[in-house]
Amino acid sequence: MKSSLPPVLEVKNLTKHFPVKSGFLGRAAGRVHAVDGISFSIGESETLGLVGESGCGKSTAGKLILKLIPSTAGEIRLAGQRIDELSGESMRSCRRTMQVVFQDPYSSLNPRMRARDIVAEPMRNFEPLSDGEIDKRVGELFENVGLRRDQLGRFPHEFSGGQRQRLVIARALAVRPSLIVCDEPVSALDVSVQAQVINLLIDLQKEFGVSYLFIAHDLAVVEHISHRVAVMYLGRIVELADKESLFAGPQHPYTEALLSAVPVPDPTVKPNRIILQGDVPSPIRPPPGCHFHTRCPYAFERCKSERPAMREIKSGHFAACHLREGEPVEGV
Ligand code: SF4
């Protein structure tokens, strides 16, 4: 049965253009189209994977949603409440609902704070709890993320990389958020530790009912953790679908190329890799029409001038390509 509750997160036409200045007087010389009108939503206990090559705008999208940087245009709703216009005290209470796990756990932890205080800090900022209640909850969170209570008094440098990321996750969960933005949370970790942290995030989602926006460039990781996946290219979402549908039958040529590069563990399967020609164009002057037309093996005349609409190709599977047919949609 479909929930009547609003999505945990809803983003409509979210846009971020950074001005480019040049010359001695710093005159505006153009704009970097970092995020160019993206729309999606995330439901309760859902993980949406946001993937694309480096520089496609996925991390900027995460920062916009967390309101770490202001947006140029568009709407952000958290549990139905519009937050892109909020500031000051009204934004402060929303900050508790949204937490973040960044790529490098070491630089996101204060090296002079003990682990117990790192996890307790958000509770002291946001919750009217006694010291005893905070201590109790910190100990429980340590166990939730697979750390030991005897490690509570340690400093960040006394933990391994994987343990530090567990500490960051415990801090993110401390104020019981409804959404955690995970920005490349395992890319800095050893491969053996990556799987442990991903499985931990999956287990914690079941236990706490939290939703994730999971930003990553590694499709194998995204496939493992996500329920749905959105693919970004040069600031735009070009495809969005259930994980199963997207990996079994990509509808956009860019997704097709990305998936063809994922290593297959079976040595008897011959890889059929699609090599894209050329580099990703500059986001200062993105190509007109379909941004992907300069590298697309199927591009034709119309692609150079007309931006393809996002269409529902089959139930819940959306793609923006002139080769596909389906109902045009907005704000998927
Ligand atoms: Fe390729 Fe044209 Fe489709 Fe863009 S719209 S992905 S250029 S075929």
Side-chain angles (χ1 to χ4, degrees), residues 145 235 237 320 324:
V145 300
I237 289 179
R324 304 292 173 208

Side-chain angles (χ1 to χ4, degrees), residues 21-331:
K21 301 205 169 142
S22 74
F24 179 65
L25 296 173
R27 290 210 172 91
R31 290 179 301 167
V32 175
H33 297 238
V35 175
D36 213 5
I38 62 170
S39 301
F40 60 81
S41 62
I42 305 179
E44 202 181 318
S45 299
E46 185 185 33
T47 300
L48 179 76
L50 189 59
V51 292
E53 289 164 292
S54 166
C56 70
K58 55 191 190 303
S59 287
T60 305
K63 290 193 181 94
L64 290 171
I65 289 161
L66 291 160
K67 293 204 62 184
L68 298 177
I69 51 173
S71 54
T72 308
E75 297 176 9
I76 307 165
R77 284 191 168 77
L78 207 56
Q81 184 193 8
R82 200 157 161 194
I83 62 161
D84 50 280
E85 297 168 326
L86 296 183
S87 59
E89 195 49 40
S90 33
M91 188 58 219
R92 204 181 108 82
S93 60
C94 288
R95 292 225 176 272
R96 169 198 163 139
T97 329
M98 278 190 300
Q99 295 292 312
V100 63
V101 174
F102 284 120
Q103 176 177 355
D104 180 1
Y106 198 61
S107 63
S108 54
L109 295 170
N110 184 338
R112 284 189 286 274
M113 280 175 85
R114 291 186 191 275
R116 104 163 29 87
D117 296 318
I118 287 170
V119 178
E121 190 180 37
M123 287 186 243
R124 291 196 180 112
N125 288 339
F126 289 107
E127 306 227 11
L129 296 173
S130 68
D131 286 350
E133 287 167 322
I134 289 177
D135 283 349
K136 182 169 176 284
R137 206 195 285 178
V138 169
E140 287 165 359
L141 280 165
F142 253 59
E143 286 177 359
N144 290 139
V145 300
L147 294 172
R148 301 188 313 270
R149 285 179 190 251
D150 63 86
Q151 295 172 312
L152 281 162
R154 292 191 186 174
F155 290 98
H157 72 270
E158 296 176 276
F159 290 92
S160 68
Q163 287 174 332
R164 278 199 285 269
Q165 200 60 303
R166 288 172 190 268
L167 191 57
V168 173
I169 294 167
R171 181 181 61 184
L173 285 169
V175 283
R176 302 172 197 249
S178 55
L179 175 75
I180 300 181
V181 175
C182 303
D183 189 358
E184 301 272 11
V186 295
S187 335
L189 304 177
D190 290 345
V191 176
S192 58
V193 182
Q194 286 186 4
Q196 292 171 15
V197 173
I198 293 294
N199 288 334
L200 172 68
L201 285 168
I202 294 171
D203 291 344
L204 291 171
Q205 183 170 61
K206 288 181 194 141
E207 194 169 342
F208 290 87
V210 64
S211 304
Y212 300 132
L213 174 63
F214 192 92
I215 299 166
H217 67 279
D218 185 335
L219 277 166
V221 170
V222 167
E223 184 181 14
H224 190 60
I225 194 171
S226 305
H227 298 102
R228 288 186 302 142
V229 178
V231 181
M232 269 187 92
Y233 184 79
L234 260 188
R236 294 177 181 168
I237 289 179
V238 296
E239 185 159 4
L240 194 158
D242 283 347
K243 162 177 79 176
E244 291 78 14
S245 184
L246 186 119
F247 280 82
Q251 298 294 313
H252 194 281
Y254 177 60
T255 315
E256 196 183 12
L258 282 185
L259 292 189
S260 78
V262 177
V264 182
D266 184 349
T268 62
V269 176
K270 204 166 164 238
N272 188 17
R273 184 151 185 206
I274 301 167
I275 309 284
L276 292 175
Q277 302 301 319
D279 295 325
V280 180
S282 164
I284 299 177
R285 274 176 222 87
C290 173
H291 280 355
F292 189 52
H293 82 254
T294 53
R295 300 171 80 201
C296 179
Y298 312 106
F300 54 106
E301 213 42 43
R302 185 180 167 200
C303 308
K304 296 180 188 167
S305 57
E306 190 184 325
R307 176 178 176 168
M310 187 63 104
R311 295 176 187 276
E312 186 162 19
I313 316 298
K314 52 186 174 172
S315 178
H317 195 143
F318 307 88
C321 173
H322 292 312
L323 292 174
R324 304 292 173 208
E325 289 179 358
E327 277 302 305
V329 288
E330 278 183 26

